[in-house]
Amino acid sequence: MMEPVIRVDGRGANPCEGTVKIDWPKSIWNTAMIAGALCALIFVTWQAVLLFLALTYATLLLGHSVGMHRMMIHRTFTAPRWFARLIIYVGTLVGVSGPSGIIRIHDTRDWAQRQPHCHDFFAHRRSFEKDLLWNLFCRFKFDHPPKIKIEPLIRDDLFYRWLDYTWRWQQLPLAGLLYLVGGWPFVFWGICMRVLVSTAGHWSITYFCHNPGPGRWLVKDAGLQASNLPGLGLLTYGECWHNNHHAFPESARIGIESGQADPGYWIICLAQRIGLAKNVGLPRSTDECDDLIERKVP
């Protein structure tokens, strides 16, 4: 099992003090995706809808969950450079940010949630509608921000740096290919509707996984606890078992209990069998869980 990367220096930082501000680049980007999604409702074909469903699930599963979240952020497994770059590129096509941007978004939020108290922007205490609007169009401007240090493996890789600068433009080659295959319906459904649903869907799962719900574990001293969402393992590629993930971030397997479907882990196991994944992490033993409290909830 690989050692976790410590990227956040929270000395002098305060996760409660700050202001929610309009993020203009993000707002323009997501507004453009909303406009394109509305066009998709006009240009409807069954082939375009099937393309949307398949491409959305595949990019979120392989690119976001397996590539960016489990491998890049949490280092729960290692992969050959070409394969690691491929699945992180697929994660970039999800349309949320480039590699370093995803790390900064994730690690800032995770750091804030593990403090005794944090702002509602990170705690998801507001209504679903407001929380979604915040995450589609806003950013949190800290009065005293934490420092995020991206490790050299990502920071100094020219390919990942290129993706950081061009992540929005990476939709264009795919859009051109989709247009050649299926015209405007494929573009509107395969790019705009997919990116919008991927972004909104990602934050929807984040919202519900950080509000009170079932889960076996409490993280000591964390002001915000995560919950599991039973029955959604297949739909969320295993990311819905978020109480497990907060407790065992070192584990490539998030659905660790019996009956908890985890397609992301299934992909990692397949990659391991064919030599594309090594050093696959699993939950540490309960003897090593000094930072956790086991609880019994319905």
mmCIF file of all heavy atoms in Angstrom, residues 71-108:
data_model
loop_
_atom_site.group_PDB
_atom_site.id
_atom_site.type_symbol
_atom_site.label_atom_id
_atom_site.label_comp_id
_atom_site.label_asym_id
_atom_site.label_seq_id
_atom_site.Cartn_x
_atom_site.Cartn_y
_atom_site.Cartn_z
ATOM 1 N N MET A 71 -6.872 6.846 -8.129
ATOM 2 C CA MET A 71 -5.447 6.747 -8.446
ATOM 3 C C MET A 71 -4.708 8.052 -8.195
ATOM 4 O O MET A 71 -3.753 8.093 -7.416
ATOM 5 C CB MET A 71 -5.249 6.329 -9.906
ATOM 6 C CG MET A 71 -3.785 6.151 -10.286
ATOM 7 S SD MET A 71 -3.525 5.948 -12.076
ATOM 8 C CE MET A 71 -3.944 7.607 -12.659
ATOM 9 N N MET A 72 -5.121 9.134 -8.837
ATOM 10 C CA MET A 72 -4.363 10.385 -8.784
ATOM 11 C C MET A 72 -4.436 11.058 -7.414
ATOM 12 O O MET A 72 -3.404 11.452 -6.857
ATOM 13 C CB MET A 72 -4.861 11.351 -9.859
ATOM 14 C CG MET A 72 -4.089 12.666 -9.909
ATOM 15 S SD MET A 72 -4.748 13.802 -11.167
ATOM 16 C CE MET A 72 -6.327 14.287 -10.405
ATOM 17 N N ILE A 73 -5.641 11.191 -6.860
ATOM 18 C CA ILE A 73 -5.787 11.905 -5.601
ATOM 19 C C ILE A 73 -5.370 11.043 -4.414
ATOM 20 O O ILE A 73 -4.546 11.464 -3.592
ATOM 21 C CB ILE A 73 -7.243 12.395 -5.433
ATOM 22 C CG1 ILE A 73 -7.557 13.479 -6.467
ATOM 23 C CG2 ILE A 73 -7.473 12.927 -4.018
ATOM 24 C CD1 ILE A 73 -9.007 13.919 -6.480
ATOM 25 N N HIS A 74 -5.914 9.841 -4.324
ATOM 26 C CA HIS A 74 -5.677 9.024 -3.122
ATOM 27 C C HIS A 74 -4.571 7.995 -3.299
ATOM 28 O O HIS A 74 -4.215 7.333 -2.306
ATOM 29 C CB HIS A 74 -6.981 8.339 -2.697
ATOM 30 C CG HIS A 74 -7.994 9.287 -2.150
ATOM 31 N ND1 HIS A 74 -7.853 9.912 -0.924
ATOM 32 C CD2 HIS A 74 -9.164 9.747 -2.662
ATOM 33 C CE1 HIS A 74 -8.884 10.692 -0.697
ATOM 34 N NE2 HIS A 74 -9.694 10.622 -1.741
ATOM 35 N N ARG A 75 -4.059 7.842 -4.509
ATOM 36 C CA ARG A 75 -2.932 6.932 -4.752
ATOM 37 C C ARG A 75 -3.209 5.530 -4.210
ATOM 38 O O ARG A 75 -2.339 4.896 -3.600
ATOM 39 C CB ARG A 75 -1.658 7.510 -4.138
ATOM 40 C CG ARG A 75 -1.154 8.736 -4.889
ATOM 41 C CD ARG A 75 -0.188 9.585 -4.077
ATOM 42 N NE ARG A 75 0.865 8.844 -3.420
ATOM 43 C CZ ARG A 75 2.138 8.771 -3.822
ATOM 44 N NH1 ARG A 75 2.516 9.395 -4.930
ATOM 45 N NH2 ARG A 75 3.036 8.111 -3.135
ATOM 46 N N THR A 76 -4.426 5.039 -4.475
ATOM 47 C CA THR A 76 -4.774 3.714 -3.980
ATOM 48 C C THR A 76 -4.259 2.600 -4.880
ATOM 49 O O THR A 76 -4.394 1.415 -4.538
ATOM 50 C CB THR A 76 -6.305 3.573 -3.827
ATOM 51 O OG1 THR A 76 -6.924 3.664 -5.115
ATOM 52 C CG2 THR A 76 -6.864 4.650 -2.908
ATOM 53 N N PHE A 77 -3.703 2.959 -6.027
ATOM 54 C CA PHE A 77 -3.014 1.992 -6.865
ATOM 55 C C PHE A 77 -2.080 2.756 -7.792
ATOM 56 O O PHE A 77 -2.182 3.981 -7.938
ATOM 57 C CB PHE A 77 -3.992 1.121 -7.668
ATOM 58 C CG PHE A 77 -4.731 1.833 -8.767
ATOM 59 C CD1 PHE A 77 -4.267 1.806 -10.085
ATOM 60 C CD2 PHE A 77 -5.903 2.534 -8.501
ATOM 61 C CE1 PHE A 77 -4.956 2.460 -11.104
ATOM 62 C CE2 PHE A 77 -6.597 3.179 -9.511
ATOM 63 C CZ PHE A 77 -6.124 3.146 -10.812
ATOM 64 N N THR A 78 -1.137 2.041 -8.361
ATOM 65 C CA THR A 78 -0.221 2.633 -9.343
ATOM 66 C C THR A 78 -0.475 1.997 -10.694
ATOM 67 O O THR A 78 -1.032 0.896 -10.800
ATOM 68 C CB THR A 78 1.246 2.421 -8.942
ATOM 69 O OG1 THR A 78 1.509 1.006 -8.827
ATOM 70 C CG2 THR A 78 1.544 3.097 -7.612
ATOM 71 N N ALA A 79 -0.084 2.701 -11.748
ATOM 72 C CA ALA A 79 -0.308 2.224 -13.114
ATOM 73 C C ALA A 79 0.859 2.662 -13.988
ATOM 74 O O ALA A 79 1.546 3.646 -13.677
ATOM 75 C CB ALA A 79 -1.619 2.788 -13.662
ATOM 76 N N PRO A 80 1.108 1.959 -15.091
ATOM 77 C CA PRO A 80 2.105 2.430 -16.049
ATOM 78 C C PRO A 80 1.776 3.853 -16.492
ATOM 79 O O PRO A 80 0.602 4.231 -16.570
ATOM 80 C CB PRO A 80 1.977 1.435 -17.212
ATOM 81 C CG PRO A 80 1.372 0.215 -16.611
ATOM 82 C CD PRO A 80 0.462 0.704 -15.516
ATOM 83 N N ARG A 81 2.824 4.619 -16.802
ATOM 84 C CA ARG A 81 2.612 6.031 -17.104
ATOM 85 C C ARG A 81 1.613 6.249 -18.228
ATOM 86 O O ARG A 81 0.750 7.125 -18.138
ATOM 87 C CB ARG A 81 3.949 6.701 -17.447
ATOM 88 C CG ARG A 81 3.786 8.175 -17.825
ATOM 89 C CD ARG A 81 5.120 8.845 -18.042
ATOM 90 N NE ARG A 81 5.831 9.002 -16.779
ATOM 91 C CZ ARG A 81 6.978 9.676 -16.650
ATOM 92 N NH1 ARG A 81 7.535 10.222 -17.728
ATOM 93 N NH2 ARG A 81 7.567 9.768 -15.483
ATOM 94 N N TRP A 82 1.703 5.454 -19.289
ATOM 95 C CA TRP A 82 0.806 5.668 -20.427
ATOM 96 C C TRP A 82 -0.654 5.428 -20.030
ATOM 97 O O TRP A 82 -1.553 6.160 -20.466
ATOM 98 C CB TRP A 82 1.185 4.759 -21.603
ATOM 99 C CG TRP A 82 0.889 3.289 -21.406
ATOM 100 C CD1 TRP A 82 1.744 2.335 -20.936
ATOM 101 C CD2 TRP A 82 -0.365 2.617 -21.670
ATOM 102 N NE1 TRP A 82 1.120 1.113 -20.880
ATOM 103 C CE2 TRP A 82 -0.174 1.259 -21.328
ATOM 104 C CE3 TRP A 82 -1.599 3.020 -22.149
ATOM 105 C CZ2 TRP A 82 -1.173 0.299 -21.449
ATOM 106 C CZ3 TRP A 82 -2.618 2.076 -22.269
ATOM 107 C CH2 TRP A 82 -2.396 0.737 -21.924
ATOM 108 N N PHE A 83 -0.883 4.399 -19.171
ATOM 109 C CA PHE A 83 -2.252 4.102 -18.760
ATOM 110 C C PHE A 83 -2.756 5.151 -17.771
ATOM 111 O O PHE A 83 -3.925 5.566 -17.832
ATOM 112 C CB PHE A 83 -2.320 2.709 -18.138
ATOM 113 C CG PHE A 83 -3.714 2.270 -17.779
ATOM 114 C CD1 PHE A 83 -4.673 2.103 -18.762
ATOM 115 C CD2 PHE A 83 -4.063 2.035 -16.454
ATOM 116 C CE1 PHE A 83 -5.971 1.707 -18.435
ATOM 117 C CE2 PHE A 83 -5.350 1.626 -16.116
ATOM 118 C CZ PHE A 83 -6.305 1.470 -17.105
ATOM 119 N N ALA A 84 -1.878 5.584 -16.865
ATOM 120 C CA ALA A 84 -2.262 6.637 -15.920
ATOM 121 C C ALA A 84 -2.639 7.912 -16.669
ATOM 122 O O ALA A 84 -3.653 8.555 -16.363
ATOM 123 C CB ALA A 84 -1.115 6.910 -14.949
ATOM 124 N N ARG A 85 -1.852 8.270 -17.661
ATOM 125 C CA ARG A 85 -2.163 9.464 -18.448
ATOM 126 C C ARG A 85 -3.478 9.297 -19.206
ATOM 127 O O ARG A 85 -4.259 10.248 -19.320
ATOM 128 C CB ARG A 85 -1.019 9.755 -19.424
ATOM 129 C CG ARG A 85 0.230 10.320 -18.756
ATOM 130 C CD ARG A 85 1.318 10.519 -19.776
ATOM 131 N NE ARG A 85 2.438 11.289 -19.230
ATOM 132 C CZ ARG A 85 3.536 11.561 -19.902
ATOM 133 N NH1 ARG A 85 3.691 11.112 -21.147
ATOM 134 N NH2 ARG A 85 4.502 12.279 -19.348
ATOM 135 N N LEU A 86 -3.718 8.109 -19.722
ATOM 136 C CA LEU A 86 -4.946 7.866 -20.487
ATOM 137 C C LEU A 86 -6.181 8.062 -19.612
ATOM 138 O O LEU A 86 -7.123 8.773 -20.000
ATOM 139 C CB LEU A 86 -4.932 6.450 -21.065
ATOM 140 C CG LEU A 86 -6.229 5.995 -21.754
ATOM 141 C CD1 LEU A 86 -6.526 6.868 -22.968
ATOM 142 C CD2 LEU A 86 -6.139 4.514 -22.149
ATOM 143 N N ILE A 87 -6.205 7.451 -18.423
ATOM 144 C CA ILE A 87 -7.421 7.543 -17.617
ATOM 145 C C ILE A 87 -7.568 8.928 -16.980
ATOM 146 O O ILE A 87 -8.702 9.380 -16.747
ATOM 147 C CB ILE A 87 -7.500 6.414 -16.559
ATOM 148 C CG1 ILE A 87 -6.276 6.395 -15.642
ATOM 149 C CG2 ILE A 87 -7.663 5.072 -17.244
ATOM 150 C CD1 ILE A 87 -6.338 5.288 -14.579
ATOM 151 N N ILE A 88 -6.465 9.627 -16.744
ATOM 152 C CA ILE A 88 -6.589 11.000 -16.260
ATOM 153 C C ILE A 88 -7.083 11.905 -17.394
ATOM 154 O O ILE A 88 -7.855 12.843 -17.168
ATOM 155 C CB ILE A 88 -5.262 11.491 -15.669
ATOM 156 C CG1 ILE A 88 -5.005 10.778 -14.338
ATOM 157 C CG2 ILE A 88 -5.269 13.014 -15.462
ATOM 158 C CD1 ILE A 88 -3.685 11.110 -13.687
ATOM 159 N N TYR A 89 -6.665 11.621 -18.618
ATOM 160 C CA TYR A 89 -7.204 12.366 -19.762
ATOM 161 C C TYR A 89 -8.710 12.146 -19.878
ATOM 162 O O TYR A 89 -9.473 13.099 -20.102
ATOM 163 C CB TYR A 89 -6.518 11.936 -21.056
ATOM 164 C CG TYR A 89 -7.123 12.584 -22.284
ATOM 165 C CD1 TYR A 89 -6.880 13.923 -22.583
ATOM 166 C CD2 TYR A 89 -7.970 11.865 -23.126
ATOM 167 C CE1 TYR A 89 -7.450 14.526 -23.686
ATOM 168 C CE2 TYR A 89 -8.551 12.457 -24.240
ATOM 169 C CZ TYR A 89 -8.284 13.793 -24.510
ATOM 170 O OH TYR A 89 -8.873 14.392 -25.600
ATOM 171 N N VAL A 90 -9.151 10.910 -19.720
ATOM 172 C CA VAL A 90 -10.590 10.626 -19.749
ATOM 173 C C VAL A 90 -11.290 11.381 -18.621
ATOM 174 O O VAL A 90 -12.392 11.914 -18.797
ATOM 175 C CB VAL A 90 -10.851 9.111 -19.653
ATOM 176 C CG1 VAL A 90 -12.346 8.824 -19.534
ATOM 177 C CG2 VAL A 90 -10.274 8.391 -20.870
ATOM 178 N N GLY A 91 -10.644 11.472 -17.448
ATOM 179 C CA GLY A 91 -11.202 12.250 -16.354
ATOM 180 C C GLY A 91 -11.314 13.724 -16.683
ATOM 181 O O GLY A 91 -12.273 14.399 -16.284
ATOM 182 N N THR A 92 -10.360 14.238 -17.432
ATOM 183 C CA THR A 92 -10.417 15.626 -17.866
ATOM 184 C C THR A 92 -11.608 15.861 -18.784
ATOM 185 O O THR A 92 -12.257 16.908 -18.732
ATOM 186 C CB THR A 92 -9.108 16.011 -18.587
ATOM 187 O OG1 THR A 92 -8.001 15.824 -17.689
ATOM 188 C CG2 THR A 92 -9.132 17.457 -19.048
ATOM 189 N N LEU A 93 -11.942 14.860 -19.611
ATOM 190 C CA LEU A 93 -13.089 14.975 -20.516
ATOM 191 C C LEU A 93 -14.423 15.056 -19.770
ATOM 192 O O LEU A 93 -15.427 15.462 -20.357
ATOM 193 C CB LEU A 93 -13.125 13.793 -21.482
ATOM 194 C CG LEU A 93 -12.055 13.766 -22.577
ATOM 195 C CD1 LEU A 93 -12.194 12.500 -23.417
ATOM 196 C CD2 LEU A 93 -12.139 15.008 -23.464
ATOM 197 N N VAL A 94 -14.443 14.684 -18.495
ATOM 198 C CA VAL A 94 -15.673 14.842 -17.709
ATOM 199 C C VAL A 94 -16.105 16.300 -17.711
ATOM 200 O O VAL A 94 -17.287 16.612 -17.698
ATOM 201 C CB VAL A 94 -15.472 14.310 -16.282
ATOM 202 C CG1 VAL A 94 -16.630 14.701 -15.377
ATOM 203 C CG2 VAL A 94 -15.316 12.783 -16.312
ATOM 204 N N GLY A 95 -15.125 17.219 -17.728
ATOM 205 C CA GLY A 95 -15.449 18.629 -17.907
ATOM 206 C C GLY A 95 -15.530 19.455 -16.644
ATOM 207 O O GLY A 95 -16.090 20.554 -16.662
ATOM 208 N N VAL A 96 -14.951 18.979 -15.531
ATOM 209 C CA VAL A 96 -14.961 19.737 -14.277
ATOM 210 C C VAL A 96 -13.701 20.577 -14.129
ATOM 211 O O VAL A 96 -13.770 21.752 -13.773
ATOM 212 C CB VAL A 96 -15.127 18.798 -13.072
ATOM 213 C CG1 VAL A 96 -15.028 19.576 -11.752
ATOM 214 C CG2 VAL A 96 -16.460 18.064 -13.146
ATOM 215 N N SER A 97 -12.546 19.989 -14.404
ATOM 216 C CA SER A 97 -11.277 20.718 -14.320
ATOM 217 C C SER A 97 -10.166 19.821 -14.833
ATOM 218 O O SER A 97 -10.397 18.658 -15.188
ATOM 219 C CB SER A 97 -10.992 21.142 -12.872
ATOM 220 O OG SER A 97 -9.869 22.012 -12.816
ATOM 221 N N GLY A 98 -8.940 20.377 -14.873
ATOM 222 C CA GLY A 98 -7.765 19.591 -15.197
ATOM 223 C C GLY A 98 -7.251 18.855 -13.974
ATOM 224 O O GLY A 98 -7.813 18.980 -12.882
ATOM 225 N N PRO A 99 -6.170 18.080 -14.103
ATOM 226 C CA PRO A 99 -5.665 17.276 -12.985
ATOM 227 C C PRO A 99 -5.369 18.081 -11.724
ATOM 228 O O PRO A 99 -5.864 17.741 -10.643
ATOM 229 C CB PRO A 99 -4.387 16.640 -13.560
ATOM 230 C CG PRO A 99 -4.602 16.623 -15.033
ATOM 231 C CD PRO A 99 -5.397 17.844 -15.344
ATOM 232 N N SER A 100 -4.590 19.143 -11.825
ATOM 233 C CA SER A 100 -4.252 19.929 -10.638
ATOM 234 C C SER A 100 -5.478 20.618 -10.064
ATOM 235 O O SER A 100 -5.619 20.752 -8.842
ATOM 236 C CB SER A 100 -3.174 20.970 -10.976
ATOM 237 O OG SER A 100 -1.962 20.343 -11.337
ATOM 238 N N GLY A 101 -6.382 21.057 -10.934
ATOM 239 C CA GLY A 101 -7.607 21.695 -10.464
ATOM 240 C C GLY A 101 -8.474 20.749 -9.662
ATOM 241 O O GLY A 101 -9.029 21.125 -8.622
ATOM 242 N N ILE A 102 -8.597 19.502 -10.120
ATOM 243 C CA ILE A 102 -9.370 18.506 -9.384
ATOM 244 C C ILE A 102 -8.738 18.239 -8.028
ATOM 245 O O ILE A 102 -9.434 18.127 -7.005
ATOM 246 C CB ILE A 102 -9.472 17.200 -10.196
ATOM 247 C CG1 ILE A 102 -10.366 17.401 -11.427
ATOM 248 C CG2 ILE A 102 -9.984 16.054 -9.334
ATOM 249 C CD1 ILE A 102 -11.829 17.609 -11.091
ATOM 250 N N ILE A 103 -7.413 18.151 -7.989
ATOM 251 C CA ILE A 103 -6.725 17.929 -6.717
ATOM 252 C C ILE A 103 -7.006 19.077 -5.752
ATOM 253 O O ILE A 103 -7.312 18.865 -4.570
ATOM 254 C CB ILE A 103 -5.208 17.760 -6.938
ATOM 255 C CG1 ILE A 103 -4.912 16.420 -7.619
ATOM 256 C CG2 ILE A 103 -4.454 17.852 -5.607
ATOM 257 C CD1 ILE A 103 -3.466 16.234 -8.018
ATOM 258 N N ARG A 104 -6.902 20.310 -6.233
ATOM 259 C CA ARG A 104 -7.133 21.466 -5.366
ATOM 260 C C ARG A 104 -8.578 21.504 -4.855
ATOM 261 O O ARG A 104 -8.822 21.780 -3.674
ATOM 262 C CB ARG A 104 -6.812 22.758 -6.122
ATOM 263 C CG ARG A 104 -5.334 22.933 -6.418
ATOM 264 C CD ARG A 104 -5.052 24.228 -7.162
ATOM 265 N NE ARG A 104 -3.663 24.317 -7.542
ATOM 266 C CZ ARG A 104 -2.681 24.708 -6.739
ATOM 267 N NH1 ARG A 104 -2.976 25.076 -5.491
ATOM 268 N NH2 ARG A 104 -1.438 24.758 -7.155
ATOM 269 N N ILE A 105 -9.536 21.233 -5.740
ATOM 270 C CA ILE A 105 -10.938 21.215 -5.325
ATOM 271 C C ILE A 105 -11.161 20.145 -4.259
ATOM 272 O O ILE A 105 -11.744 20.398 -3.198
ATOM 273 C CB ILE A 105 -11.848 20.957 -6.538
ATOM 274 C CG1 ILE A 105 -11.821 22.147 -7.500
ATOM 275 C CG2 ILE A 105 -13.285 20.685 -6.079
ATOM 276 C CD1 ILE A 105 -12.466 21.850 -8.847
ATOM 277 N N HIS A 106 -10.689 18.939 -4.534
ATOM 278 C CA HIS A 106 -10.907 17.818 -3.625
ATOM 279 C C HIS A 106 -10.204 18.022 -2.290
ATOM 280 O O HIS A 106 -10.813 17.874 -1.221
ATOM 281 C CB HIS A 106 -10.425 16.516 -4.270
ATOM 282 C CG HIS A 106 -10.548 15.322 -3.371
ATOM 283 N ND1 HIS A 106 -9.634 15.037 -2.386
ATOM 284 C CD2 HIS A 106 -11.496 14.337 -3.305
ATOM 285 C CE1 HIS A 106 -9.989 13.942 -1.746
ATOM 286 N NE2 HIS A 106 -11.117 13.492 -2.283
ATOM 287 N N ASP A 107 -8.923 18.348 -2.325
ATOM 288 C CA ASP A 107 -8.151 18.398 -1.088
ATOM 289 C C ASP A 107 -8.549 19.577 -0.208
ATOM 290 O O ASP A 107 -8.517 19.475 1.019
ATOM 291 C CB ASP A 107 -6.655 18.451 -1.402
ATOM 292 C CG ASP A 107 -6.109 17.083 -1.807
ATOM 293 O OD1 ASP A 107 -6.911 16.218 -2.181
ATOM 294 O OD2 ASP A 107 -4.882 16.893 -1.743
ATOM 295 N N THR A 108 -8.920 20.703 -0.826
ATOM 296 C CA THR A 108 -9.405 21.832 -0.029
ATOM 297 C C THR A 108 -10.689 21.457 0.688
ATOM 298 O O THR A 108 -10.856 21.710 1.886
ATOM 299 C CB THR A 108 -9.641 23.063 -0.921
ATOM 300 O OG1 THR A 108 -8.424 23.426 -1.566
ATOM 301 C CG2 THR A 108 -10.139 24.238 -0.092
#
